[in-house]
Amino acid sequence: MAVNNSLQTRKQTLSAYLSQDAIKAKINEVIGGKDGQRFISAIVSATTANPALQECSNGSILSAAMLGESLKLSPSPQLGQYYLVPFKDKEKGKVAQFQLGYKGYIQLAIRSGQYKKLNVLGIKEGELIRFDPLNEEIEVQLIEDEDAREAAETVGYYAMFEYTNGFKKAMYWSKKKMEAHALKYSQGYAADKRKGTSWTFWSKDFDGMAYKTMLRQLISKWGIMSI
């Protein structure tokens, strides 16, 4: 009960912070009108769904959410476009950071109007026949039964796009390579592996983070994005 009361208090604190005249004026200046209220409701909802986020400073939550809004993306965890991620700062304490989700990458890519095809896919055990990195060609035999495929172990990840003008790019990473990438660039995930915990998005949804990584590696180097 004490924990629930504490979380409720933090929620009210954020709501009160966002209700301040100066803060509302700043939000309305950037967003304005009914969209401003929608924006406030979305932040409170996203924060309420994440107890760790409720420990972050209100200013950092607002700043991270404003960045997401500037890209015309939603913080709703259900949509997966971007996330407000708790992060420990040695000087500022716990703060919220903006983290683009893989569906956010897809949204920004689609809005450019330059893509004929865009796909990212987990490759299951026994499906991969070969991937030629020189010509970026993949040969697979997908498991036809959907339930069986869902239950099979993921062994790698494939991402590709094709522009409307015919330009193509594709890449494949083994799960082992993805795991090494996650351990190298996510201190939180490395800590999860050491401690046996599941606090990070890598631990909670490895495939989702892997999809985002594949799209980021592919689109940020070769692709086009637009708000």
Side-chain angles (χ1 to χ4, degrees):
M1 182 65 70
V3 173
N4 290 336
N5 288 337
S6 176
L7 297 182
Q8 181 66 20
T9 298
R10 291 188 182 120
K11 175 187 174 183
Q12 291 173 341
T13 300
L14 177 63
S15 298
Y17 173 79
L18 295 174
S19 297
Q20 295 179 52
D21 290 340
I23 300 300
K24 288 176 67 176
K26 180 180 179 180
I27 292 174
N28 288 329
E29 180 181 350
V30 177
I31 303 170
K34 295 180 180 179
D35 285 339
Q37 185 56 51
R38 172 195 55 76
F39 173 73
I40 291 175
S41 298
I43 297 177
V44 173
S45 177
T47 305
T48 303
N50 188 342
L53 190 61
Q54 296 168 28
E55 300 175 6
C56 297
S57 66
N58 293 326
S60 69
I61 293 174
L62 177 60
S63 296
M66 290 286 276
L67 177 55
E69 186 66 24
S70 71
L71 297 175
K72 303 184 187 305
L73 298 173
S74 169
S76 171
Q78 290 76 19
L79 295 180
Q81 295 180 352
Y82 80 87
Y83 301 96
L84 301 172
V85 182
F87 179 79
K88 289 184 179 180
D89 186 284
K90 293 182 179 179
E91 297 180 356
K92 301 178 181 179
K94 186 167 284 189
V95 297
Q97 291 188 335
F98 170 89
Q99 186 175 99
L100 190 62
Y102 83 89
K103 292 182 180 179
Y105 274 100
I106 292 173
Q107 278 290 319
L108 298 180
I110 290 174
R111 291 175 190 173
S112 72
Q114 300 294 319
Y115 293 82
K116 179 180 180 180
K117 296 179 182 178
L118 176 62
N119 195 20
V120 59
L121 181 71
I123 303 300
K124 300 295 184 173
E125 186 173 15
E127 291 186 330
L128 179 66
I129 298 174
R130 72 180 185 92
F131 177 73
D132 177 0
L134 183 61
N135 296 301
E136 299 180 345
E137 295 176 348
I138 192 170
E139 185 177 354
V140 295
Q141 183 64 51
L142 298 180
I143 299 172
E144 294 184 2
D145 184 272
E146 292 185 7
D147 293 335
R149 188 174 196 280
E150 184 68 24
E153 181 182 355
T154 300
V155 297
Y157 302 92
Y158 172 75
M160 64 79 67
F161 71 71
E162 179 181 352
Y163 286 157
T164 54
N165 65 8
F167 177 74
K168 301 177 182 179
K169 289 299 295 184
M171 60 186 295
Y172 173 82
W173 279 18
S174 67
K175 188 170 184 178
K176 183 178 180 180
K177 181 176 181 177
M178 187 63 70
E179 177 81 11
H181 174 89
L183 290 171
K184 180 178 180 179
Y185 292 103
S186 174
Q187 295 181 357
Y189 181 61
D192 274 349
K193 298 296 284 187
R194 289 196 307 270
K195 300 176 182 178
T197 54
S198 299
W199 292 106
T200 63
F201 284 109
W202 277 106
S203 296
K204 296 175 182 178
D205 184 11
F206 189 92
D207 282 351
M209 290 297 289
Y211 292 163
K212 187 196 78 168
T213 299
M214 293 296 287
L215 288 172
R216 179 171 60 81
Q217 291 287 328
L218 190 67
I219 296 176
S220 64
K221 294 179 180 178
W222 302 96
I224 299 173
M225 291 188 290
S226 172
I227 63 172

